[in-house]
Amino acid sequence: MNIKPIGKRVLIKPVKEKERTKGGIYIPETAKEKRKQGIVVELGTIEEKEFPISKGDVILYTGYSSEELEVDGEKYLILDSKDIIAKIEE
Amino acid sequence: MNIKPIGKRVLIKPVKEKERTKGGIYIPETAKEKRKQGIVVELGTIEEKEFPISKGDVILYTGYSSEELEVDGEKYLILDSKDIIAKIEE
Amino acid sequence: MNIKPIGKRVLIKPVKEKERTKGGIYIPETAKEKRKQGIVVELGTIEEKEFPISKGDVILYTGYSSEELEVDGEKYLILDSKDIIAKIEE
Amino acid sequence: MNIKPIGKRVLIKPVKEKERTKGGIYIPETAKEKRKQGIVVELGTIEEKEFPISKGDVILYTGYSSEELEVDGEKYLILDSKDIIAKIEE
Amino acid sequence: MNIKPIGKRVLIKPVKEKERTKGGIYIPETAKEKRKQGIVVELGTIEEKEFPISKGDVILYTGYSSEELEVDGEKYLILDSKDIIAKIEE
Amino acid sequence: MNIKPIGKRVLIKPVKEKERTKGGIYIPETAKEKRKQGIVVELGTIEEKEFPISKGDVILYTGYSSEELEVDGEKYLILDSKDIIAKIEE
Amino acid sequence: MNIKPIGKRVLIKPVKEKERTKGGIYIPETAKEKRKQGIVVELGTIEEKEFPISKGDVILYTGYSSEELEVDGEKYLILDSKDIIAKIEE
């Protein structure tokens, strides 16, 4: 079963904090509830030039207007693309 | 008798929660009153490129500005297309 | 005497509720004061592609910014076209 | 002496209510202070296609942002063209 | 010394009320503090088609966002062109 | 060391009041804290057609959103170009 | 590991105040908490013509909507490009 975001939206899988800090990015406590990390699962109608992101990218996003849902027990979020602020390239 | 949405609107038939969870999507309690599922019945003036949805698609929508009506005892909603956040592909 | 709406407006004749329910559409009590039905009498500067409505169409509209007037004892409303949400095709 | 409206504005001569009702349009009490009638005297920079109105037309307008002035004892109003909602064709 | 307005602005010399009423326009007391008259001295970047006004024109303007200054003892105002509502042609 | 404004901004050197009034412009007390004079030092990405101003021009500006800084003891301001209302040509 | 800003954003390394004043720019106390300096590390989708900034540039920015993060113990900020007000050229 596949969730296809509609409009300028992106489906992501939130990444738990601890895994991240081992490899590099640490988000100060104060910013934590505001900004998180995730992995891109599916793209809606996104212009490559404006938002150069693809499936599998690890991204940073500010999280107020995300929509939460669970599929087969796994947690996903649907974000507005404008809330994606950066991608992390290994 | 046919209801044809006008402007960037979509006519849907809300899908009761229980039917859904059997097949996969479960919407956390906190999000429930905010976001629901439905089946597309009729499209207004929708640009395919911007909103790739068609009759029969199962969709997720955020529901504040929907218009409720009943036709021959069946409940329908008229949504703004911008409130449709994803479609569910089996 | 003819009333010609100016700009993106439409002149309609409101349809009393009871006539409607016989043939099909029933608007739940809660939505009633918000959304009503009417028949299109005259169109202002309306783009056919954006608003595919014509004289004689039965329409559903949300009614906050309508302008009320009476001509030879008959009640009419001037609506913004953006408040027309659907048309009913027999 | 001629008053030429500037921008998307129209100069009108307000029409007293009583003259009107004899010939047809009656504006319910509740709407009266909000919407009135007048005759077009002069047009500013108005696009014919968007606002098909000409000198001498009898119009209905909603009146909050009109500018009042008197010329040789006669009362005139300068309106934003967007406040003109219809014209009355005999 | 010359003051050249920048952007969509116009430099005017306010015209005292009494001079005007002799020739014709009388602005009702209630409107007076809101709307006044003046003579165009200099134009900023103004599109002739949108604002057909030139140096020497007598204009009516609504006055909330004007900038006051004195040059060699004479009072001038810098207006946004959108506050100019009409010009008076003898 | 050179400060290059970014976007639609302009770097100016504020001109003290007294120097100005000798030559001509006097800004009424009431307007003083709101509007001041200065000399253009450097331009950001400014369209000549929209804002015909150049280095060395004496300008009038309304001052709420300016950014203050000192370079080698001299005071400078970074303005939004939309706050520049006129230039003074000798 | 590389952080690539998405959309009209820029990744910078904030520059501590003291290093700067030695070479020239001093930001008055009142403006300090509002405006700071930094070095450009990475650019998102930035139009060169609109924002002529490159990696390594020293910039001045107004700081309300920046996103803070630490990578390998070093502090970085992700800014909206519209908050960058100037660049400092030695």
Side-chain angles (χ1 to χ4, degrees):
Chain A
M1 197 243 298
N2 177 31
I3 313 273
K4 172 73 174 162
I6 296 289
K8 293 195 169 188
R9 294 185 178 92
V10 178
L11 180 71
I12 69 153
K13 214 170 149 6
V15 164
K16 283 185 219 61
E17 274 320 308
K18 249 178 268 69
E19 279 167 42
R20 270 283 106 236
T21 43
K22 199 164 44 42
I25 298 198
Y26 167 68
I27 298 174
E29 214 42 46
T30 52
K32 199 157 273 175
E33 85 309 328
K34 217 182 66 165
R35 193 164 28 68
K36 304 176 197 77
Q37 300 179 35
I39 297 170
V40 175
V41 175
E42 188 66 70
L43 299 168
T45 319
I46 299 287
E47 303 268 340
E48 161 67 16
K49 191 176 160 255
E50 212 184 326
F51 292 103
I53 41 174
S54 343
K55 288 187 195 179
D57 280 352
V58 178
I59 53 138
L60 292 176
Y61 63 95
T62 57
Y64 292 120
S65 61
S66 56
E67 303 284 348
E68 206 187 288
L69 69 154
E70 251 177 54
V71 180
D72 305 333
E74 285 286 317
K75 203 178 111 175
Y76 293 87
L77 292 176
I78 296 178
L79 304 179
D80 281 340
S81 54
K82 66 175 175 21
D83 290 336
I84 297 177
I85 65 171
K87 75 179 171 187
I88 303 161
E89 296 161 338
E90 293 307 325
Chain B
M1 198 244 294
N2 177 32
I3 313 272
K4 171 73 175 161
I6 296 290
K8 292 194 168 187
R9 294 185 178 92
V10 177
L11 180 71
I12 70 154
K13 211 165 153 6
V15 164
K16 282 182 215 67
E17 274 320 309
K18 248 174 271 73
E19 276 168 44
R20 268 283 105 234
T21 43
K22 199 164 38 64
I25 298 197
Y26 165 69
I27 299 173
E29 214 43 46
T30 51
K32 198 156 276 174
E33 86 310 325
K34 216 181 66 162
R35 193 166 26 71
K36 304 175 198 78
Q37 301 178 34
I39 298 170
V40 175
V41 176
E42 187 66 69
L43 298 168
T45 319
I46 300 287
E47 304 268 340
E48 162 67 15
K49 191 175 161 256
E50 211 185 327
F51 291 103
I53 42 175
S54 346
K55 289 187 194 178
D57 281 351
V58 177
I59 54 138
L60 293 176
Y61 64 94
T62 56
Y64 291 119
S65 61
S66 57
E67 303 284 348
E68 206 186 287
L69 68 154
E70 250 177 55
V71 180
D72 306 333
E74 285 286 317
K75 203 178 110 175
Y76 293 87
L77 292 177
I78 295 177
L79 304 179
D80 282 339
S81 54
K82 66 174 176 21
D83 291 335
I84 296 177
I85 64 171
K87 75 180 169 185
I88 304 161
E89 297 161 336
E90 294 306 324
Chain C
M1 198 243 296
N2 177 32
I3 313 272
K4 172 74 175 161
I6 295 291
K8 292 194 169 189
R9 295 184 176 92
V10 177
L11 179 72
I12 70 155
K13 212 165 154 7
V15 164
K16 284 182 213 68
E17 273 321 308
K18 248 176 271 69
E19 274 168 46
R20 265 286 107 232
T21 42
K22 197 163 39 62
I25 300 198
Y26 165 68
I27 300 173
E29 214 42 46
T30 52
K32 199 156 274 177
E33 84 311 323
K34 218 183 64 166
R35 193 166 27 68
K36 304 175 198 78
Q37 302 178 32
I39 298 169
V40 176
V41 176
E42 187 66 70
L43 299 167
T45 319
I46 300 286
E47 304 268 340
E48 161 67 16
K49 191 173 161 260
E50 212 185 325
F51 293 103
I53 41 175
S54 348
K55 289 186 194 179
D57 282 351
V58 177
I59 53 138
L60 292 176
Y61 63 94
T62 56
Y64 291 119
S65 61
S66 58
E67 302 284 347
E68 209 186 286
L69 69 155
E70 250 177 57
V71 181
D72 306 334
E74 286 286 319
K75 204 178 110 173
Y76 293 87
L77 292 177
I78 295 177
L79 304 178
D80 282 339
S81 55
K82 66 174 175 23
D83 291 335
I84 296 177
I85 64 170
K87 75 180 169 185
I88 304 162
E89 296 161 337
E90 294 307 325
Chain D
M1 195 241 299
N2 177 30
I3 313 274
K4 172 75 176 161
I6 295 290
K8 292 194 170 190
R9 294 184 177 93
V10 178
L11 180 71
I12 69 154
K13 212 166 152 10
V15 163
K16 283 182 218 67
E17 272 322 306
K18 249 178 270 68
E19 275 168 43
R20 265 290 103 228
T21 43
K22 195 163 44 55
I25 299 199
Y26 166 69
I27 300 174
E29 215 42 45
T30 51
K32 200 157 271 178
E33 82 312 324
K34 217 183 65 165
R35 194 164 29 66
K36 303 175 198 78
Q37 300 179 34
I39 298 169
V40 176
V41 176
E42 187 65 71
L43 300 167
T45 320
I46 301 286
E47 304 269 340
E48 161 68 16
K49 191 175 161 258
E50 213 185 326
F51 291 103
I53 41 174
S54 347
K55 289 187 195 178
D57 281 351
V58 177
I59 52 138
L60 293 176
Y61 64 94
T62 56
Y64 291 120
S65 62
S66 58
E67 301 284 346
E68 208 187 286
L69 69 155
E70 250 177 55
V71 181
D72 307 334
E74 285 286 320
K75 204 179 108 172
Y76 292 87
L77 292 176
I78 296 178
L79 304 178
D80 281 339
S81 55
K82 66 175 175 24
D83 291 335
I84 296 177
I85 64 171
K87 75 181 169 185
I88 303 161
E89 296 160 338
E90 293 308 325
Chain E
M1 198 241 299
N2 177 30
I3 314 274
K4 172 75 176 161
I6 296 290
K8 292 194 169 190
R9 294 184 177 92
V10 177
L11 179 71
I12 69 154
K13 215 171 146 5
V15 163
K16 283 183 216 66
E17 271 318 316
K18 250 178 269 69
E19 278 167 40
R20 263 291 100 227
T21 44
K22 197 162 42 54
I25 299 200
Y26 166 69
I27 300 174
E29 215 43 45
T30 52
K32 200 157 271 176
E33 82 313 326
K34 216 183 64 163
R35 194 165 29 67
K36 303 175 198 78
Q37 300 179 35
I39 296 169
V40 175
V41 176
E42 187 66 71
L43 299 167
T45 320
I46 301 287
E47 303 270 340
E48 161 68 15
K49 190 174 161 260
E50 212 186 325
F51 291 103
I53 42 175
S54 347
K55 289 188 194 178
D57 281 351
V58 177
I59 52 138
L60 291 175
Y61 63 94
T62 56
Y64 291 120
S65 62
S66 58
E67 302 284 347
E68 207 186 287
L69 69 156
E70 249 177 55
V71 180
D72 307 333
E74 285 287 317
K75 203 179 110 175
Y76 291 89
L77 292 176
I78 295 177
L79 303 178
D80 282 339
S81 54
K82 65 175 174 22
D83 291 336
I84 297 177
I85 64 170
K87 75 180 170 186
I88 303 160
E89 297 160 339
E90 293 307 325
Chain F
M1 197 241 299
N2 177 31
I3 313 274
K4 172 73 175 163
I6 295 290
K8 293 195 169 188
R9 295 184 176 91
V10 178
L11 179 71
I12 70 155
K13 213 169 151 6
V15 163
K16 284 184 215 65
E17 273 320 307
K18 250 177 270 68
E19 279 167 41
R20 267 275 48 66
T21 44
K22 199 164 44 35
I25 299 200
Y26 166 68
I27 299 174
E29 214 44 46
T30 51
K32 202 157 269 177
E33 84 311 329
K34 214 181 67 162
R35 193 166 29 67
K36 303 174 197 80
Q37 299 179 37
I39 297 169
V40 175
V41 177
E42 187 65 72
L43 299 167
T45 318
I46 301 286
E47 304 267 342
E48 162 67 16
K49 189 172 163 262
E50 210 185 329
F51 292 101
I53 41 175
S54 347
K55 289 188 194 178
D57 281 351
V58 177
I59 53 137
L60 292 175
Y61 63 94
T62 56
Y64 292 119
S65 62
S66 58
E67 303 284 347
E68 206 187 286
L69 70 154
E70 249 179 54
V71 181
D72 307 333
E74 284 288 317
K75 202 178 111 175
Y76 292 87
L77 291 176
I78 295 177
L79 302 178
D80 282 340
S81 54
K82 65 174 174 24
D83 291 335
I84 297 178
I85 64 171
K87 74 180 170 186
I88 303 160
E89 297 160 340
E90 293 307 326
Chain G
M1 198 241 298
N2 176 32
I3 313 274
K4 172 73 175 161
I6 295 290
K8 294 195 167 188
R9 294 184 177 91
V10 177
L11 180 72
I12 70 154
K13 217 172 145 5
V15 164
K16 284 186 216 64
E17 274 320 308
K18 248 178 271 65
E19 279 168 40
R20 268 282 107 233
T21 44
K22 200 163 44 30
I25 299 198
Y26 166 68
I27 299 174
E29 213 43 45
T30 51
K32 201 157 271 177
E33 84 310 329
K34 215 181 68 163
R35 192 163 31 66
K36 304 176 197 77
Q37 299 181 35
I39 297 170
V40 175
V41 175
E42 187 65 72
L43 298 168
T45 319
I46 300 287
E47 303 268 341
E48 161 67 16
K49 190 173 163 264
E50 212 184 327
F51 292 102
I53 41 174
S54 345
K55 289 188 195 178
D57 280 352
V58 177
I59 53 137
L60 292 176
Y61 63 95
T62 56
Y64 291 120
S65 62
S66 57
E67 303 284 347
E68 207 187 286
L69 70 155
E70 251 178 53
V71 181
D72 306 334
E74 284 287 317
K75 203 177 111 175
Y76 292 88
L77 291 176
I78 295 178
L79 303 180
D80 282 340
S81 54
K82 65 174 175 26
D83 291 335
I84 297 178
I85 65 170
K87 76 179 168 186
I88 303 160
E89 296 160 340
E90 292 307 326

